[in-house]
Amino acid sequence: TLLLFAALSGVVHAQEKKLTAKQAKAFYEKADKALNEAWAAAKAALPESEFNELKERQKGWVEYRDYLARSPMYTGAEADGELSLDAPEYLEAAAYLAEDRTKWLKGLVREWGTDETLTGIWSDSHGGTIQIVEQDGRLHFIVECVRGPTSHVGDLAGTATWNQRIGWFSDKGLDPAKLDETNLSFILRDRKLEIIGANTGEYHGARAYFDGEYVKTGALNAKQQAQVVKSAKTSELPEE
């Protein structure tokens, strides 16, 4: 689907359009500067206790970034082992990942409008995205993810019941041949939407879990919203 393609586009770009060492360094420095600015804004906006918790999570994200960006399999680089931190392939991949994290941080501290709903694009900055349309006590959604250097992918479209801050999805009865019921819970805490799944393996690769803390990073126009609702009701994802 479109968002899944977008999540993979950084890797595809790195494989098909190699940047020079100078270009990759400039791209990385620009992305890193934007990330640092978003980090400073988060520090200024968040309560100290919440920011301290974010600092610990940021350390985990840095490890995640380097784990992927130093992987020849992820970047398409011709190398036997981990890439060096000054390799052009590392710098380019790390820059794309930093751009995703910057959007996440900005979404984390963005002020919500008084009548704002969950409708929009959500990201966990670790390869997971959700498109949501909130309507009449329902969350119509498409969740997609690309996890790990080997790009395990997953996707699921459906409709969850929604009660103020808690949502619940079940695929029970959608496929009579499917024995185990799949569930997703949606829990809104401040500006983060926590997703927890149960028996989701049929919808993703071995490591492509849907679980994560997502924040709203973008809007959906009317056409996109209609597509999300259609996919959620039919359980069929849109074509690329």
Side-chain angles (χ1 to χ4, degrees):
T1 66
L2 295 179
L3 277 184
L4 189 60
F5 175 80
L8 284 167
S9 63
V11 181
V12 172
H13 179 90
Q15 292 173 339
E16 295 184 354
K17 290 178 133 183
K18 298 289 186 182
L19 296 183
T20 65
K22 184 177 180 180
Q23 289 171 330
K25 183 179 179 181
F27 181 29
Y28 175 83
E29 289 176 347
K30 180 180 179 181
D32 191 54
K33 180 181 178 182
L35 179 61
N36 287 331
E37 290 172 350
W39 180 256
K43 182 177 181 179
L46 296 176
E48 183 177 359
S49 60
E50 190 173 345
F51 182 72
N52 287 338
E53 181 181 346
L54 179 62
K55 281 198 296 186
E56 292 304 311
R57 293 182 179 275
Q58 187 70 0
K59 293 177 183 178
W61 177 82
V62 171
E63 293 176 357
Y64 157 81
R65 177 199 66 190
D66 288 347
Y67 171 61
L68 291 186
R70 299 186 72 178
S71 167
M73 187 173 296
Y74 180 81
T75 61
E78 296 180 1
D80 294 330
E82 284 188 337
L83 300 176
S84 66
L85 297 179
D86 59 358
E89 295 89 350
Y90 164 81
L91 294 171
E92 183 176 3
Y96 279 114
L97 294 167
E99 287 182 336
D100 287 342
R101 188 63 171 180
T102 296
K103 291 178 183 178
W104 189 91
L105 287 169
K106 287 182 176 180
L108 182 65
V109 300
R110 181 183 63 85
E111 291 295 330
W112 280 41
T114 55
D115 60 345
E116 187 168 350
T117 69
L118 270 64
T119 299
I121 301 171
W122 295 69
S123 167
D124 70 353
S125 77
H126 285 72
T129 59
I130 306 175
Q131 300 174 77
I132 294 176
V133 176
E134 180 182 349
Q135 289 179 347
D136 304 322
R138 297 285 187 273
L139 298 182
H140 304 291
F141 68 88
I142 300 173
V143 57
E144 303 170 279
C145 60
V146 184
R147 309 288 192 190
T150 54
S151 296
H152 287 252
V153 299
D155 51 58
L156 172 61
T159 298
T161 58
W162 180 247
N163 186 6
Q164 295 185 355
R165 306 187 71 81
I166 298 175
W168 184 257
F169 164 79
S170 169
D171 72 348
K172 188 175 183 179
L174 295 180
D175 180 359
K178 186 173 180 290
L179 298 179
D180 295 325
E181 177 184 358
T182 293
N183 300 120
L184 287 181
S185 65
F186 299 75
I187 305 170
L188 184 64
R189 293 189 177 97
D190 296 322
R191 296 158 297 275
K192 291 181 288 188
L193 186 64
E194 183 178 2
I195 307 299
I196 302 173
N199 293 324
T200 59
E202 187 163 320
Y203 298 98
H204 57 68
R207 299 177 181 86
Y209 52 88
F210 297 132
D211 299 41
E213 289 188 335
Y214 295 74
V215 302
K216 190 190 286 192
T217 58
L220 293 170
N221 61 35
K223 182 178 179 180
Q224 291 170 325
Q225 290 184 38
Q227 182 61 72
V228 171
V229 173
K230 178 181 178 181
S231 292
K233 289 181 177 179
T234 62
S235 300
E236 296 179 359
L237 277 75
E239 297 294 329
E240 290 183 7

